[in-house]
Amino acid sequence: MKSYIKKYYRQILSQVPIMLVLMDLHFEGVDGLDKAESQKHLSRGNQLLNAGQLADALTQYHSAIDNDDRNYQAYYMRATVYLALGKARLAMPDLDQVVQLQPSFVQARMQRGNLFLKMGQFNKAHADYEAVLSHEDNAKATAKVDELRPLRRNVIKAHQLLEANENAQAITLLNQVIESCPWNADYREMRSTAYEKLGDYRRAISDLKPTTMLRLDNTRAFLKMSILWYNLGEIEQSLAEIRECLKLDPDHQECYSHYKNVKKLFKTLEAAKKVMQQNDWGEAINKFRKALKQESRVAALNVEIQLKICECFIKDNNPQEALVDCKKVLTLDERNIPALLLISEAHTQQAEYEQAVEDLQKAASIDDNYPGLNEKLKSAQKMLKQSQKRDYYKILGIPRNADKRSVIKAYRVLAREWHPDNFH
């Protein structure tokens, strides 16, 4: 949305020199309290605007209006600066004032019609475009009137599709509507609902985010985004959004109730991660299990916590327990590559090299471009090949990283055990 707005404002600024010429041609005979002083500030503001000094130009237009509250060209140019600064809400009252003072001023009508269109206010936009066409043959206004007809139909059809749970088709139509009406919160909320029903929570959040700027004090959007982040297992993001809700309304009951649950779980998970960083694997596992008890409904969150538990068991050289928790992940998400990598590592720790290779091959069948996967697979295949030869470390009953003294000691133990004199 931001890139769209920036592009729109660049177009406005590119038209400033044309606007200034039009003003010289058409803005004569303004009545007011102090016309000469007002015109002086207006002229100075135009010079500053043409030089790209928007803030200074705005100050001059304020002064022009203060000196003559019927100076409609000052209102129009101030609206232009507001739009260039991304302040459409402030521009609209100025454009209203221009139309009231000078109904035949088509540039203001056209500009206001464009704003109404972006806000999705089709009837008001249509009225302004028709007013332009009543004064002159304007190709742009004609094109905009033609653009409005399919937009109206698409909105009606999108409502019907959402009610029928035809969410993908509704999104297709809403894409076209939002392209023309990016400042309408209703249409973004409709598309967000469709994405949510399809399980695409991230896109649902992306549509809700702009509505927090399009609607004042939009606590409902912050609460919804927090819940969606929570369902994605993104607890820190969920906490950030719900805090925004409480900033707007500290007494919001739903937001506060959700905040308490999220904050409690967040603290437990942070404590578990801290202990994990200290290599206290057993305590980390306990805290992660506590987090699972606090929230067992959200599949994405369960996956992340189970992966952490599995990783702790791996770090603690407990491959059997690691396999139990990693396989729980696969029951929730059978295509989870991090779980398959940890399972492969657990099998490697148990010298089950063939199984370790199979785990990695399964991961590669899901995404062979997964970071580090090819290197792990090559390493596992190498270990499998080595294991198929006679493994003297295994015969001696010692690990491959055993030092020289351990090797000699193990050799002497086996030598005494299998000495021929013991079998007379």
Side-chain angles (χ1 to χ4, degrees):
M1 179 181 175
K2 289 182 179 179
S3 61
Y4 184 95
I5 292 174
K6 287 179 180 177
K7 180 181 178 182
Y8 176 63
Y9 294 147
R10 283 198 297 270
Q11 291 173 347
I12 290 174
L13 286 176
S14 69
Q15 296 168 5
V16 165
I18 298 173
M19 293 176 189
L20 300 181
V21 171
L22 289 170
M23 286 174 60
D24 290 338
L25 292 173
H26 299 295
F27 295 162
E28 299 297 334
V30 178
D31 297 323
L33 300 175
D34 192 340
K35 176 183 174 182
E37 188 66 18
S38 179
Q39 289 298 99
K40 178 181 175 182
H41 286 293
L42 176 63
S43 178
R44 178 59 181 155
N46 293 344
Q47 292 172 0
L48 291 166
L49 178 59
N50 207 23
Q53 299 177 42
L54 302 186
D56 293 335
L58 190 61
T59 300
Q60 294 297 321
Y61 295 140
H62 288 326
S63 297
I65 292 167
D66 289 341
N67 281 278
D68 183 357
D69 63 1
R70 295 185 60 78
N71 189 338
Y72 67 89
Q73 72 262 45
Y75 282 111
Y76 181 73
M77 296 311 297
R78 188 170 72 173
T80 300
V81 175
Y82 279 141
L83 287 172
L85 292 172
K87 299 178 179 180
R89 282 196 181 94
L90 295 176
M92 185 61 81
D94 276 357
L95 291 173
D96 290 341
Q97 193 69 19
V98 175
V99 172
Q100 183 179 340
L101 292 170
Q102 191 75 13
S104 63
F105 183 29
V106 295
Q107 286 86 1
R109 285 278 194 178
M110 194 70 191
Q111 191 69 272
R112 193 175 70 166
N114 290 340
L115 288 184
F116 280 136
L117 175 56
K118 286 172 172 53
M119 294 174 182
Q121 298 184 32
F122 299 142
N123 291 339
K124 291 181 179 180
H126 188 268
D128 273 338
Y129 294 139
E130 289 293 349
V132 170
L133 292 172
S134 70
H135 287 94
E136 66 181 34
D137 184 12
N138 189 301
K140 289 184 178 179
T142 300
K144 289 295 184 182
V145 170
D146 292 339
E147 183 182 346
L148 286 169
R149 297 190 187 96
L151 289 175
R152 293 178 194 271
R153 290 196 299 268
N154 286 349
V155 171
I156 294 171
K157 184 62 176 177
H159 276 289
Q160 295 171 344
L161 290 168
L162 282 175
E163 289 177 3
N165 210 29
E166 299 289 343
N167 300 297
Q169 293 91 324
I171 288 170
T172 299
L173 292 180
L174 288 168
N175 288 342
Q176 299 170 27
V177 173
I178 293 170
E179 179 79 22
S180 296
C181 313
W183 301 346
N184 185 287
D186 290 335
Y187 305 149
R188 289 184 177 275
E189 287 169 352
M190 287 172 64
R191 192 169 67 177
S192 175
T193 298
Y195 279 129
E196 183 184 355
K197 288 181 178 179
L198 291 172
D200 193 341
Y201 294 162
R202 294 186 185 277
R203 286 187 177 177
I205 292 169
S206 294
D207 264 337
L208 284 175
K209 197 66 176 177
T211 70
T212 62
M213 295 178 285
L214 296 170
R215 291 192 197 281
L216 295 176
D217 299 333
N218 197 349
T219 54
R220 184 179 65 179
F222 283 116
L223 175 60
K224 187 66 175 178
M225 286 191 294
S226 179
I227 292 171
L228 290 171
W229 280 122
Y230 190 87
N231 290 336
L232 283 167
E234 301 282 354
I235 302 304
E236 189 169 359
Q237 287 281 2
S238 178
L239 187 61
E241 299 294 2
I242 205 63
R243 280 175 171 158
E244 291 299 318
C245 176
L246 291 173
K247 284 180 185 177
L248 295 174
D249 183 1
D251 298 321
H252 197 292
Q253 291 186 352
E254 284 184 275
C255 285
Y256 185 67
S257 176
H258 185 61
Y259 168 76
K260 287 195 299 183
N261 291 333
V262 178
K263 180 68 180 296
K264 183 180 179 181
L265 181 58
F266 178 76
K267 287 179 68 175
T268 302
L269 289 171
E270 286 300 295
K273 291 174 184 176
K274 184 176 180 180
V275 173
M276 192 177 177
Q277 290 172 352
Q278 296 168 353
N279 297 339
D280 189 348
W281 312 117
E283 184 60 21
I285 289 168
N286 290 336
K287 290 189 180 298
F288 281 125
R289 292 210 188 282
K290 180 181 177 182
L292 278 178
K293 289 180 181 178
Q294 289 175 232
E295 180 52 80
S296 59
R297 300 165 300 162
V298 179
L301 187 57
N302 273 245
V303 165
E304 291 303 314
I305 295 175
Q306 291 286 6
L307 282 172
K308 288 294 185 185
I309 294 172
C310 179
E311 184 180 346
C312 287
F313 278 126
I314 292 287
K315 299 287 188 183
D316 201 29
N317 291 312
N318 193 340
Q320 291 183 334
E321 291 294 335
L323 286 170
V324 172
D325 279 281
C326 279
K327 287 177 180 178
K328 288 179 182 177
V329 174
L330 294 182
T331 61
L332 296 169
D333 178 10
E334 63 181 8
R335 295 173 62 82
N336 190 287
I337 293 180
L340 289 168
L341 298 184
L342 288 170
I343 289 173
S344 175
E345 194 168 345
H347 282 133
T348 299
Q349 286 185 350
Q350 296 185 119
E352 297 170 345
Y353 303 114
E354 188 172 351
Q355 186 61 55
V357 169
E358 288 181 11
D359 297 327
L360 294 171
Q361 287 174 336
K362 184 176 180 181
S365 69
I366 297 170
D367 181 4
D368 59 358
N369 292 317
Y370 191 87
L373 177 56
N374 287 330
E375 290 76 10
K376 288 180 182 293
L377 181 55
K378 288 177 183 177
S379 177
Q381 289 170 333
K382 183 178 179 181
M383 284 189 285
L384 173 60
K385 187 176 181 180
Q386 289 175 343
S387 71
Q388 292 170 341
K389 299 176 182 179
R390 181 170 292 182
D391 188 345
Y392 293 104
Y393 288 96
K394 187 174 182 179
I395 293 170
L396 291 172
I398 55 176
R400 286 185 169 271
N401 59 356
D403 57 24
K404 184 177 180 180
R405 180 178 295 180
S406 297
V407 172
I408 293 171
K409 183 178 178 181
Y411 174 79
R412 287 174 176 170
V413 169
L414 283 180
R416 286 195 297 269
E417 181 181 347
W418 293 98
H419 194 279
D421 290 344
N422 294 332
F423 300 95
H424 285 172

